[in-house]
Amino acid sequence: MKIPSPSIPRISLYYRVLLSLKDKDIISSQELSELTGCSAAQVRKDLAYFGQFGRPGSGYNVEVLKTELKNILGIDKDWDVALIGAGNLGSALLAYKGFRGQGFNIKYVFDNDRKKIGKLKQGIKVRDILELKKATKQIGINLAVVAVPQEAAQEVIDELVLSGIKAILNFAPIRPRVSEDIKVLNIDLSTELERLSYFLQRRKV
Amino acid sequence: MKIPSPSIPRISLYYRVLLSLKDKDIISSQELSELTGCSAAQVRKDLAYFGQFGRPGSGYNVEVLKTELKNILGIDKDWDVALIGAGNLGSALLAYKGFRGQGFNIKYVFDNDRKKIGKLKQGIKVRDILELKKATKQIGINLAVVAVPQEAAQEVIDELVLSGIKAILNFAPIRPRVSEDIKVLNIDLSTELERLSYFLQRRKV
DNA sequence: CTAAATTTTGTACCTTTTGTAACCATAGAG
DNA sequence: CTCTATGGTTACAAAAGGTACAAAATTTAG
Protein backbone atom coordinates (compact mmCIF):
# COMPACT_ATOMS: atom_id res chain seq x y z
CA MET A 1 0.00 0.00 0.00
CA LYS A 2 1.11 3.53 -0.72
CA ILE A 3 1.65 5.52 2.44
CA PRO A 4 1.44 9.31 2.18
CA SER A 5 4.81 10.79 2.98
CA PRO A 6 3.40 13.44 5.33
CA SER A 7 2.23 10.58 7.53
CA ILE A 8 5.76 9.73 8.65
CA PRO A 9 6.60 12.96 10.46
CA ARG A 10 3.16 12.75 12.03
CA ILE A 11 3.94 9.24 13.27
CA SER A 12 7.07 10.73 14.83
CA LEU A 13 4.90 13.33 16.49
CA TYR A 14 2.48 10.75 17.89
CA TYR A 15 5.42 8.80 19.23
CA ARG A 16 6.87 11.88 20.88
CA VAL A 17 3.54 12.58 22.56
CA LEU A 18 3.21 9.00 23.75
CA LEU A 19 6.64 9.22 25.35
CA SER A 20 5.54 12.22 27.35
CA LEU A 21 2.47 10.46 28.74
CA LYS A 22 2.55 9.36 32.35
CA ASP A 23 0.07 7.11 34.13
CA LYS A 24 -1.95 6.40 31.04
CA ASP A 25 -2.63 2.91 29.73
CA ILE A 26 -5.10 3.68 26.99
CA ILE A 27 -5.42 6.67 24.71
CA SER A 28 -8.08 7.50 22.15
CA SER A 29 -7.58 9.09 18.76
CA GLN A 30 -9.52 12.03 20.12
CA GLU A 31 -6.99 12.57 22.90
CA LEU A 32 -4.10 12.14 20.51
CA SER A 33 -5.76 14.69 18.29
CA GLU A 34 -5.83 17.26 21.07
CA LEU A 35 -2.22 16.60 22.02
CA THR A 36 -0.83 16.80 18.51
CA GLY A 37 -3.06 19.24 16.70
CA CYS A 38 -3.83 16.69 13.99
CA SER A 39 -7.46 15.73 13.42
CA ALA A 40 -8.69 12.55 15.07
CA ALA A 41 -9.52 11.06 11.70
CA GLN A 42 -6.00 11.80 10.55
CA VAL A 43 -4.57 10.02 13.57
CA ARG A 44 -6.67 6.92 13.00
CA LYS A 45 -5.88 6.88 9.30
CA ASP A 46 -2.14 7.26 9.80
CA LEU A 47 -2.10 4.43 12.29
CA ALA A 48 -4.35 2.23 10.19
CA TYR A 49 -1.86 2.32 7.32
CA PHE A 50 0.40 0.14 9.41
CA GLY A 51 -2.03 -2.22 11.11
CA GLN A 52 -4.94 -2.49 13.48
CA PHE A 53 -3.55 -1.25 16.75
CA GLY A 54 -6.69 0.04 18.43
CA ARG A 55 -9.76 -1.50 19.97
CA PRO A 56 -13.15 -0.03 19.15
CA GLY A 57 -14.82 1.27 22.24
CA SER A 58 -11.63 1.70 24.22
CA GLY A 59 -8.74 3.13 22.21
CA TYR A 60 -5.05 2.40 21.79
CA ASN A 61 -2.90 0.70 24.40
CA VAL A 62 -0.12 3.18 25.01
CA GLU A 63 2.68 0.66 25.53
CA VAL A 64 1.70 -1.42 22.55
CA LEU A 65 1.38 1.64 20.37
CA LYS A 66 4.78 2.94 21.44
CA THR A 67 6.36 -0.37 20.46
CA GLU A 68 4.54 -0.42 17.14
CA LEU A 69 5.53 3.13 16.26
CA LYS A 70 9.14 2.40 17.09
CA ASN A 71 9.02 -0.53 14.71
CA ILE A 72 7.41 1.56 12.01
CA LEU A 73 9.99 4.32 12.30
CA GLY A 74 12.81 1.83 12.45
CA ILE A 75 14.05 3.12 15.80
CA ASP A 76 13.55 -0.16 17.59
CA LYS A 77 17.21 -0.70 16.81
CA ASP A 78 20.14 1.70 16.93
CA TRP A 79 21.61 3.42 13.89
CA ASP A 80 25.22 4.37 13.52
CA VAL A 81 25.68 7.83 12.09
CA ALA A 82 28.60 9.60 10.48
CA LEU A 83 28.88 13.33 10.99
CA ILE A 84 30.73 15.33 8.35
CA GLY A 85 31.95 18.71 9.47
CA ALA A 86 33.13 19.55 12.97
CA GLY A 87 32.60 23.29 12.84
CA ASN A 88 30.10 25.28 14.83
CA LEU A 89 27.03 23.46 13.66
CA GLY A 90 28.65 20.05 13.62
CA SER A 91 29.85 20.51 17.18
CA ALA A 92 26.41 21.60 18.30
CA LEU A 93 24.87 18.54 16.71
CA LEU A 94 27.48 16.35 18.32
CA ALA A 95 26.63 17.78 21.72
CA TYR A 96 22.89 17.40 21.19
CA LYS A 97 21.73 14.68 23.52
CA GLY A 98 18.55 13.93 21.65
CA PHE A 99 20.36 11.82 19.08
CA ARG A 100 21.77 9.18 21.35
CA GLY A 101 18.59 9.02 23.37
CA GLN A 102 16.67 8.16 20.21
CA GLY A 103 19.07 5.48 19.13
CA PHE A 104 21.15 7.54 16.73
CA ASN A 105 24.80 7.10 17.65
CA ILE A 106 27.24 9.44 16.03
CA LYS A 107 30.09 7.04 15.64
CA TYR A 108 32.36 8.87 13.24
CA VAL A 109 33.23 12.51 12.82
CA PHE A 110 35.07 13.72 9.75
CA ASP A 111 36.58 17.07 8.90
CA ASN A 112 39.16 18.45 6.50
CA ASP A 113 40.73 20.89 8.93
CA ARG A 114 44.23 19.76 9.94
CA LYS A 115 43.82 21.58 13.23
CA LYS A 116 40.83 19.49 14.16
CA ILE A 117 41.86 16.11 12.82
CA GLY A 118 43.04 13.79 15.55
CA LYS A 119 41.48 15.85 18.35
CA LEU A 120 38.63 14.56 20.42
CA LYS A 121 35.17 16.13 20.26
CA GLN A 122 32.64 14.89 22.78
CA GLY A 123 34.81 11.85 23.21
CA ILE A 124 34.89 11.06 19.51
CA LYS A 125 38.02 11.32 17.43
CA VAL A 126 37.84 13.67 14.48
CA ARG A 127 39.07 11.85 11.40
CA ASP A 128 40.46 13.08 8.16
CA ILE A 129 37.75 13.31 5.57
CA LEU A 130 40.02 11.42 3.21
CA GLU A 131 39.44 8.32 5.34
CA LEU A 132 35.75 8.63 4.67
CA LYS A 133 35.49 6.14 1.88
CA LYS A 134 37.42 3.45 3.66
CA ALA A 135 35.71 3.91 7.01
CA THR A 136 32.11 3.73 5.86
CA LYS A 137 32.79 0.74 3.65
CA GLN A 138 34.32 -1.10 6.54
CA ILE A 139 31.63 -0.49 9.08
CA GLY A 140 28.55 -0.33 6.96
CA ILE A 141 27.19 2.96 8.19
CA ASN A 142 24.36 4.11 5.96
CA LEU A 143 23.22 7.31 7.62
CA ALA A 144 25.17 10.57 7.51
CA VAL A 145 24.71 14.13 8.69
CA VAL A 146 26.34 16.79 6.54
CA ALA A 147 27.28 20.02 8.30
CA VAL A 148 29.91 21.49 6.00
CA PRO A 149 30.01 24.86 4.21
CA GLN A 150 28.07 25.29 1.01
CA GLU A 151 31.13 25.10 -1.24
CA ALA A 152 32.13 21.67 0.03
CA ALA A 153 28.71 20.09 0.30
CA GLN A 154 28.17 18.55 -3.12
CA GLU A 155 31.64 17.05 -3.14
CA VAL A 156 31.21 15.57 0.33
CA ILE A 157 27.84 14.15 -0.59
CA ASP A 158 29.21 12.58 -3.76
CA GLU A 159 31.88 10.95 -1.66
CA LEU A 160 29.33 9.72 0.86
CA VAL A 161 27.27 8.13 -1.87
CA LEU A 162 30.31 6.39 -3.25
CA SER A 163 30.96 5.10 0.24
CA GLY A 164 27.63 3.36 0.32
CA ILE A 165 25.66 5.85 2.42
CA LYS A 166 21.94 5.59 1.69
CA ALA A 167 20.38 8.41 3.71
CA ILE A 168 21.66 11.93 4.34
CA LEU A 169 20.56 14.78 6.53
CA ASN A 170 21.99 17.85 4.84
CA PHE A 171 22.38 21.24 6.50
CA ALA A 172 24.21 22.92 3.64
CA PRO A 173 22.08 25.40 1.70
CA ILE A 174 22.12 23.49 -1.55
CA ARG A 175 19.87 20.88 -3.06
CA PRO A 176 22.38 18.18 -3.79
CA ARG A 177 22.15 15.96 -6.84
CA VAL A 178 22.08 12.30 -5.94
CA SER A 179 20.89 9.12 -7.57
CA GLU A 180 17.33 7.90 -7.16
CA ASP A 181 17.98 5.36 -4.45
CA ILE A 182 19.54 7.82 -2.01
CA LYS A 183 17.31 9.72 0.38
CA VAL A 184 18.34 13.26 1.23
CA LEU A 185 16.55 15.53 3.65
CA ASN A 186 17.58 19.15 3.56
CA ILE A 187 17.46 21.50 6.49
CA ASP A 188 18.09 24.98 5.21
CA LEU A 189 18.04 27.70 7.83
CA SER A 190 17.99 30.56 5.36
CA THR A 191 15.01 29.14 3.55
CA GLU A 192 13.10 28.75 6.80
CA LEU A 193 13.86 32.31 7.79
CA GLU A 194 12.75 33.47 4.38
CA ARG A 195 9.46 31.64 4.80
CA LEU A 196 8.96 33.55 8.03
CA SER A 197 9.99 36.77 6.38
CA TYR A 198 7.45 36.14 3.62
CA PHE A 199 4.80 35.57 6.23
CA LEU A 200 5.67 38.74 8.12
CA GLN A 201 5.59 40.83 5.02
CA ARG A 202 2.27 39.46 3.82
CA ARG A 203 0.68 39.72 7.22
CA LYS A 204 -0.23 43.36 7.03
CA VAL A 205 -1.56 43.29 3.47
CA MET B 1 -5.11 34.53 -5.04
CA LYS B 2 -4.21 31.52 -2.98
CA ILE B 3 -0.54 30.68 -3.26
CA PRO B 4 0.46 27.07 -2.54
CA SER B 5 2.64 27.05 0.51
CA PRO B 6 5.27 24.75 -1.03
CA SER B 7 5.93 27.51 -3.54
CA ILE B 8 7.64 29.72 -0.98
CA PRO B 9 10.61 27.50 -0.19
CA ARG B 10 10.97 26.95 -3.92
CA ILE B 11 11.10 30.70 -4.46
CA SER B 12 13.91 30.72 -1.92
CA LEU B 13 15.64 28.05 -3.91
CA TYR B 14 15.31 29.96 -7.18
CA TYR B 15 16.71 33.02 -5.48
CA ARG B 16 19.66 31.07 -4.13
CA VAL B 17 20.41 29.76 -7.61
CA LEU B 18 20.18 33.22 -9.15
CA LEU B 19 22.68 34.50 -6.63
CA SER B 20 25.16 31.88 -7.72
CA LEU B 21 24.92 32.83 -11.39
CA LYS B 22 27.77 34.73 -12.93
CA ASP B 23 27.84 36.40 -16.31
CA LYS B 24 24.26 35.70 -17.13
CA ASP B 25 21.69 38.33 -18.01
CA ILE B 26 18.76 36.18 -19.01
CA ILE B 27 17.65 32.80 -17.75
CA SER B 28 14.87 30.55 -18.95
CA SER B 29 12.54 28.43 -16.87
CA GLN B 30 14.22 25.45 -18.50
CA GLU B 31 17.62 26.46 -17.19
CA LEU B 32 16.22 27.20 -13.74
CA SER B 33 14.62 23.78 -13.84
CA GLU B 34 17.97 22.10 -14.43
CA LEU B 35 19.64 24.10 -11.68
CA THR B 36 16.97 23.51 -9.04
CA GLY B 37 15.52 20.12 -9.83
CA CYS B 38 12.00 21.54 -10.07
CA SER B 39 10.13 21.12 -13.35
CA ALA B 40 10.18 24.04 -15.75
CA ALA B 41 6.41 24.38 -15.56
CA GLN B 42 6.64 24.49 -11.80
CA VAL B 43 9.14 27.31 -12.02
CA ARG B 44 6.93 29.32 -14.36
CA LYS B 45 3.88 28.68 -12.26
CA ASP B 46 5.53 29.68 -9.02
CA LEU B 47 6.78 32.91 -10.53
CA ALA B 48 3.49 33.64 -12.24
CA TYR B 49 1.71 33.67 -8.87
CA PHE B 50 3.47 36.92 -8.14
CA GLY B 51 3.46 38.66 -11.48
CA GLN B 52 4.63 38.51 -15.06
CA PHE B 53 8.38 38.70 -14.80
CA GLY B 54 9.39 36.90 -17.96
CA ARG B 55 9.31 37.64 -21.65
CA PRO B 56 8.09 34.98 -24.02
CA GLY B 57 10.79 33.95 -26.42
CA SER B 58 13.67 35.06 -24.24
CA GLY B 59 13.20 34.31 -20.54
CA TYR B 60 13.70 36.12 -17.27
CA ASN B 61 16.08 39.00 -16.70
CA VAL B 62 18.31 37.79 -13.90
CA GLU B 63 18.74 41.11 -12.13
CA VAL B 64 15.07 41.98 -12.33
CA LEU B 65 14.08 38.54 -11.10
CA LYS B 66 16.49 38.74 -8.17
CA THR B 67 14.95 42.02 -7.12
CA GLU B 68 11.42 40.69 -7.50
CA LEU B 69 12.15 37.54 -5.50
CA LYS B 70 13.73 39.59 -2.75
CA ASN B 71 10.56 41.65 -2.59
CA ILE B 72 8.38 38.57 -2.55
CA LEU B 73 10.34 36.95 0.25
CA GLY B 74 10.50 40.19 2.17
CA ILE B 75 14.28 40.18 2.29
CA ASP B 76 14.63 43.45 0.45
CA LYS B 77 14.89 44.95 3.90
CA ASP B 78 16.68 43.71 7.01
CA TRP B 79 14.97 41.91 9.86
CA ASP B 80 16.01 42.12 13.45
CA VAL B 81 15.98 38.76 15.16
CA ALA B 82 15.96 37.69 18.78
CA LEU B 83 17.71 34.46 19.66
CA ILE B 84 16.55 32.64 22.76
CA GLY B 85 19.01 30.16 24.17
CA ALA B 86 22.77 30.56 24.09
CA GLY B 87 23.68 26.91 24.50
CA ASN B 88 25.37 24.71 21.94
CA LEU B 89 22.82 25.14 19.22
CA GLY B 90 22.17 28.82 19.95
CA SER B 91 25.88 29.56 19.78
CA ALA B 92 26.23 27.70 16.52
CA LEU B 93 23.34 29.68 15.04
CA LEU B 94 24.88 32.90 16.29
CA ALA B 95 28.14 32.06 14.59
CA TYR B 96 26.45 31.09 11.33
CA LYS B 97 27.35 33.75 8.81
CA GLY B 98 24.46 33.04 6.50
CA PHE B 99 22.00 34.97 8.62
CA ARG B 100 23.59 38.37 8.50
CA GLY B 101 24.43 37.98 4.83
CA GLN B 102 20.75 37.41 4.08
CA GLY B 103 19.58 40.39 6.07
CA PHE B 104 18.71 38.63 9.29
CA ASN B 105 20.48 40.40 12.12
CA ILE B 106 20.52 38.67 15.45
CA LYS B 107 20.21 41.72 17.62
CA TYR B 108 19.34 40.19 20.96
CA VAL B 109 20.38 37.03 22.71
CA PHE B 110 18.55 35.82 25.79
CA ASP B 111 19.32 33.02 28.21
CA ASN B 112 18.37 32.05 31.72
CA ASP B 113 21.82 30.85 32.76
CA ARG B 114 23.39 33.22 35.29
CA LYS B 115 26.82 32.14 34.09
CA LYS B 116 26.09 33.34 30.57
CA ILE B 117 24.12 36.49 31.27
CA GLY B 118 26.18 39.61 30.78
CA LYS B 119 28.89 37.86 28.79
CA LEU B 120 29.48 38.59 25.14
CA LYS B 121 28.84 36.01 22.44
CA GLN B 122 29.97 36.89 18.93
CA GLY B 123 29.98 40.49 20.06
CA ILE B 124 26.41 40.42 21.36
CA LYS B 125 25.57 40.71 25.01
CA VAL B 126 23.62 37.81 26.48
CA ARG B 127 20.62 39.19 28.34
CA ASP B 128 18.54 37.78 31.09
CA ILE B 129 15.48 36.11 29.67
CA LEU B 130 13.42 38.07 32.18
CA GLU B 131 14.16 41.19 30.18
CA LEU B 132 12.55 39.58 27.18
CA LYS B 133 9.17 41.16 27.45
CA LYS B 134 10.48 44.64 27.95
CA ALA B 135 13.09 44.45 25.23
CA THR B 136 10.91 43.21 22.40
CA LYS B 137 8.14 45.64 23.22
CA GLN B 138 10.58 48.51 23.10
CA ILE B 139 12.25 47.69 19.83
CA GLY B 140 9.55 46.01 17.84
CA ILE B 141 11.34 42.86 16.90
CA ASN B 142 8.89 40.38 15.46
CA LEU B 143 11.07 37.42 14.51
CA ALA B 144 12.60 35.03 17.02
CA VAL B 145 14.67 31.87 16.94
CA VAL B 146 14.08 29.48 19.82
CA ALA B 147 16.99 27.20 20.71
CA VAL B 148 16.18 26.18 24.26
CA PRO B 149 15.67 22.71 25.77
CA GLN B 150 12.35 20.97 25.31
CA GLU B 151 11.18 21.64 28.87
CA ALA B 152 11.54 25.40 28.55
CA ALA B 153 10.26 25.80 25.01
CA GLN B 154 6.52 26.29 25.49
CA GLU B 155 7.04 28.79 28.27
CA VAL B 156 9.56 30.78 26.26
CA ILE B 157 7.28 30.80 23.26
CA ASP B 158 4.33 31.99 25.34
CA GLU B 159 6.49 34.81 26.59
CA LEU B 160 7.60 35.68 23.07
CA VAL B 161 4.02 35.86 21.90
CA LEU B 162 3.12 38.14 24.78
CA SER B 163 6.03 40.32 23.76
CA GLY B 164 4.58 40.84 20.33
CA ILE B 165 6.65 38.38 18.34
CA LYS B 166 4.81 37.27 15.21
CA ALA B 167 7.06 34.62 13.68
CA ILE B 168 9.14 31.95 15.36
CA LEU B 169 11.71 29.46 14.19
CA ASN B 170 11.60 26.71 16.79
CA PHE B 171 14.30 24.09 17.25
CA ALA B 172 12.80 22.48 20.35
CA PRO B 173 11.20 19.09 19.69
CA ILE B 174 7.68 20.15 20.56
CA ARG B 175 4.82 21.49 18.53
CA PRO B 176 4.05 24.62 20.48
CA ARG B 177 0.53 25.91 20.95
CA VAL B 178 0.15 29.45 19.72
CA SER B 179 -2.70 31.62 18.54
CA GLU B 180 -3.77 31.68 14.91
CA ASP B 181 -1.97 34.84 13.93
CA ILE B 182 1.48 33.61 14.95
CA LYS B 183 3.59 31.68 12.48
CA VAL B 184 5.78 28.95 13.88
CA LEU B 185 8.15 26.82 11.85
CA ASN B 186 9.53 23.80 13.61
CA ILE B 187 12.88 22.25 12.88
CA ASP B 188 12.95 18.94 14.66
CA LEU B 189 16.14 16.99 14.21
CA SER B 190 14.79 13.80 15.73
CA THR B 191 11.83 13.75 13.40
CA GLU B 192 14.07 14.21 10.39
CA LEU B 193 16.32 11.40 11.52
CA GLU B 194 13.28 9.22 12.06
CA ARG B 195 12.12 9.92 8.54
CA LEU B 196 15.51 8.71 7.32
CA SER B 197 15.35 5.73 9.60
CA TYR B 198 11.92 4.85 8.22
CA PHE B 199 13.32 5.09 4.72
CA LEU B 200 16.29 2.89 5.52
CA GLN B 201 14.15 0.26 7.13
CA ARG B 202 11.65 0.14 4.28
CA ARG B 203 14.31 0.14 1.62
CA LYS B 204 15.09 -3.52 1.72
CA VAL B 205 11.49 -4.71 1.85
C1' DC C 1 12.66 44.25 -44.98
C1' DT C 2 9.18 40.73 -44.44
C1' DA C 3 7.51 36.44 -43.24
C1' DA C 4 8.05 32.02 -41.49
C1' DA C 5 10.07 29.21 -37.91
C1' DT C 6 11.57 28.82 -33.25
C1' DT C 7 11.74 29.73 -28.51
C1' DT C 8 9.59 30.62 -24.32
C1' DT C 9 6.15 32.44 -21.20
C1' DG C 10 1.66 32.26 -18.85
C1' DT C 11 -2.52 29.78 -18.19
C1' DA C 12 -6.44 26.51 -18.63
C1' DC C 13 -7.24 21.80 -17.81
C1' DC C 14 -6.36 17.23 -16.01
C1' DT C 15 -4.27 13.88 -12.67
C1' DT C 16 -2.42 12.66 -8.41
C1' DT C 17 -1.89 13.25 -3.72
C1' DT C 18 -3.45 14.53 0.71
C1' DG C 19 -6.82 15.67 4.08
C1' DT C 20 -11.76 15.76 5.92
C1' DA C 21 -16.11 13.98 7.00
C1' DA C 22 -19.50 10.56 7.24
C1' DC C 23 -20.61 5.72 8.10
C1' DC C 24 -20.50 1.14 10.07
C1' DA C 25 -19.20 -2.40 13.19
C1' DT C 26 -17.49 -3.76 17.59
C1' DA C 27 -16.12 -3.51 22.44
C1' DG C 28 -17.38 -2.29 26.90
C1' DA C 29 -20.57 -0.12 30.55
C1' DG C 30 -24.71 -0.14 32.94
C1' DC D 1 -29.79 -6.41 26.41
C1' DT D 2 -29.27 -1.69 25.17
C1' DC D 3 -26.58 2.26 24.67
C1' DT D 4 -22.37 4.85 24.14
C1' DA D 5 -17.74 5.41 22.78
C1' DT D 6 -14.39 4.40 19.54
C1' DG D 7 -11.55 2.42 15.66
C1' DG D 8 -11.40 1.29 10.77
C1' DT D 9 -13.20 2.11 6.13
C1' DT D 10 -15.11 4.42 2.42
C1' DA D 11 -16.58 8.39 -0.04
C1' DC D 12 -15.79 13.17 -0.84
C1' DA D 13 -13.23 17.63 -1.10
C1' DA D 14 -9.20 20.37 -1.39
C1' DA D 15 -4.52 21.13 -2.58
C1' DA D 16 -0.71 20.54 -5.40
C1' DG D 17 1.66 19.17 -9.41
C1' DG D 18 1.92 17.91 -14.44
C1' DT D 19 0.45 18.55 -19.40
C1' DA D 20 -0.62 21.03 -23.28
C1' DC D 21 -1.36 24.93 -25.89
C1' DA D 22 -2.20 29.88 -27.30
C1' DA D 23 0.15 34.20 -27.37
C1' DA D 24 4.26 36.85 -27.55
C1' DA D 25 8.99 37.71 -28.47
C1' DT D 26 13.07 36.46 -30.97
C1' DT D 27 15.66 34.45 -34.60
C1' DT D 28 16.30 32.81 -39.19
C1' DA D 29 15.49 32.52 -44.17
C1' DG D 30 14.50 34.52 -48.36
Side-chain angles (χ1 to χ4, degrees):
Chain A
M1 189 208 328
K2 173 83 178 71
I3 290 156
S5 49
S7 289
I8 309 308
R10 282 197 301 265
I11 296 273
S12 276
L13 181 60
Y14 307 150
Y15 178 66
R16 190 87 20 94
V17 165
L18 291 181
L19 285 182
S20 72
L21 289 179
K22 305 292 175 198
D23 309 323
K24 198 143 178 50
D25 287 342
I26 303 286
I27 190 167
S28 69
S29 61
Q30 184 59 44
E31 290 170 298
L32 268 172
S33 167
E34 285 154 18
L35 289 166
T36 58
C38 308
S39 77
Q42 182 93 75
V43 172
R44 291 200 298 274
K45 217 168 164 185
D46 284 338
L47 297 177
Y49 287 126
F50 296 96
Q52 305 202 157
F53 307 135
R55 300 181 67 178
S58 78
Y60 300 90
N61 179 300
V62 173
E63 280 312 312
V64 170
L65 193 54
K66 268 198 256 185
T67 307
E68 293 289 351
L69 296 191
K70 278 176 78 162
N71 286 335
I72 292 166
L73 293 173
I75 52 175
D76 49 332
K77 50 190 160 305
D78 284 8
W79 294 98
D80 289 336
V81 179
L83 170 67
I84 325 293
N88 281 308
L89 182 56
S91 301
L93 295 173
L94 200 48
Y96 177 52
K97 286 149 196 91
F99 287 160
R100 189 164 299 269
Q102 302 264 337
F104 296 100
N105 301 320
I106 296 183
K107 206 154 185 176
Y108 294 94
V109 177
F110 295 96
D111 204 299
N112 68 346
D113 183 349
R114 283 255 154 268
K115 295 195 221 51
K116 289 174 191 151
I117 293 167
K119 302 269 169 63
L120 285 180
K121 285 235 174 192
Q122 302 280 327
I124 303 174
K125 195 175 85 178
V126 178
R127 290 155 193 268
D128 192 327
I129 201 163
L130 299 175
E131 294 179 32
L132 176 60
K133 197 165 179 179
K134 202 177 64 182
T136 49
K137 270 253 173 72
Q138 277 175 354
I139 328 232
I141 288 184
N142 40 24
L143 214 173
V145 176
V146 173
V148 302
Q150 175 171 11
E151 314 81 67
Q154 182 66 57
E155 188 182 338
V156 161
I157 287 170
D158 290 343
E159 192 61 43
L160 284 170
V161 171
L162 283 176
S163 310
I165 288 271
K166 297 302 176 193
I168 296 171
L169 188 57
N170 169 45
F171 286 87
I174 64 162
R175 196 179 282 202
R177 308 187 157 271
V178 295
S179 56
E180 279 294 323
D181 58 328
I182 312 289
K183 177 86 165 181
V184 177
L185 293 182
N186 298 295
I187 295 185
D188 186 335
L189 299 182
S190 297
T191 295
E192 300 301 328
L193 281 173
E194 281 160 14
R195 286 172 65 187
L196 290 174
S197 164
Y198 170 82
F199 164 80
L200 285 171
Q201 176 158 61
R202 285 250 147 174
R203 207 166 56 90
K204 309 142 195 173
V205 185
Chain B
M1 189 207 327
K2 173 81 178 74
I3 291 157
S5 48
S7 289
I8 309 307
R10 282 197 301 268
I11 296 273
S12 275
L13 181 59
Y14 307 150
Y15 178 66
R16 189 87 23 93
V17 164
L18 290 182
L19 285 183
S20 73
L21 289 180
K22 306 291 176 198
D23 308 321
K24 197 143 177 52
D25 286 342
I26 303 285
I27 191 168
S28 68
S29 60
Q30 184 59 46
E31 290 168 300
L32 269 171
S33 167
E34 285 153 18
L35 290 167
T36 60
C38 309
S39 76
Q42 184 90 75
V43 172
R44 291 200 298 275
K45 226 169 161 184
D46 284 338
L47 297 177
Y49 287 126
F50 297 96
Q52 306 203 157
F53 307 134
R55 299 183 67 178
S58 79
Y60 300 89
N61 179 300
V62 173
E63 280 311 312
V64 169
L65 194 54
K66 269 199 253 184
T67 306
E68 293 287 352
L69 296 191
K70 277 176 79 164
N71 286 334
I72 291 166
L73 293 172
I75 51 174
D76 48 335
K77 48 190 160 305
D78 284 9
W79 293 96
D80 289 337
V81 180
L83 170 67
I84 325 294
N88 281 308
L89 180 57
S91 301
L93 294 173
L94 200 49
Y96 177 52
K97 285 148 196 92
F99 286 161
R100 189 165 297 271
Q102 303 265 336
F104 296 99
N105 302 321
I106 297 184
K107 205 153 184 179
Y108 294 94
V109 178
F110 294 96
D111 204 299
N112 69 347
D113 184 348
R114 283 256 153 270
K115 295 194 218 56
K116 288 173 191 149
I117 294 168
K119 302 267 169 62
L120 285 181
K121 285 234 175 194
Q122 303 279 328
I124 303 175
K125 196 175 83 177
V126 178
R127 289 154 193 269
D128 191 329
I129 200 164
L130 299 174
E131 294 180 32
L132 175 60
K133 197 166 179 178
K134 200 177 66 184
T136 49
K137 269 248 174 76
Q138 277 174 353
I139 327 227
I141 287 184
N142 39 25
L143 213 174
V145 176
V146 173
V148 303
Q150 175 170 10
E151 316 80 69
Q154 182 66 57
E155 188 183 340
V156 160
I157 287 171
D158 289 344
E159 192 60 44
L160 284 170
V161 170
L162 282 176
S163 311
I165 288 271
K166 297 301 177 194
I168 296 171
L169 188 59
N170 168 45
F171 285 87
I174 63 163
R175 197 179 281 200
R177 306 186 159 271
V178 294
S179 56
E180 280 295 324
D181 58 327
I182 311 289
K183 178 85 165 181
V184 178
L185 293 182
N186 298 296
I187 295 186
D188 187 334
L189 300 180
S190 298
T191 295
E192 300 301 328
L193 282 173
E194 281 160 15
R195 286 172 65 187
L196 290 175
S197 163
Y198 171 82
F199 164 81
L200 285 171
Q201 176 159 61
R202 285 251 147 172
R203 207 168 57 90
K204 310 143 195 172
V205 184

